[in-house]
Amino acid sequence: MPYAFTYEVPIGPDTYARIKDELGPGSQPGMILHLAHNTDQGLRYVEVWESKEAYLDFVDKRLHPVVDRVVTQALGFRPPEPPVTMLDFVDVWTGDPAA
């Protein structure tokens, strides 16, 4: 069963772009969908992964090393992990990139 959730982080689009640049182009293995949108407090992410294990592997091996470096430099400290809201979704429909 896919693993879907949302959470908010206290960063802006510039810091987000630096994180994404350091992660490299394209999607990450196991990722189905990643959305980022502005909020009053920063950015909110909506994530859908093939499995919780795929997400945790990405976080441990790829995301945290980049976030620790980029966010600490941008904010002057490493904020705690944000609270996560699990999503009980019915369907995920993405467009065909070849179309």
Side-chain angles (χ1 to χ4, degrees), residues 3-59:
Y3 183 63
F5 56 95
T6 184
Y7 62 99
E8 195 164 321
V9 292
I11 64 170
D14 291 343
T15 302
Y16 173 80
R18 288 180 47 213
I19 292 168
K20 195 168 176 194
D21 284 346
E22 288 202 30
L23 287 173
S27 65
Q28 305 300 321
M31 179 189 290
I32 296 172
L33 176 73
H34 169 82
L35 300 172
H37 69 87
N38 287 308
T39 69
D40 290 339
Q41 289 76 39
L43 297 178
R44 176 168 293 279
Y45 301 148
V46 178
E47 305 264 353
V48 182
W49 288 77
E50 291 175 358
S51 68
K52 183 176 183 177
E53 293 76 20
Y55 172 70
L56 294 176
D57 188 58
F58 164 72
V59 167

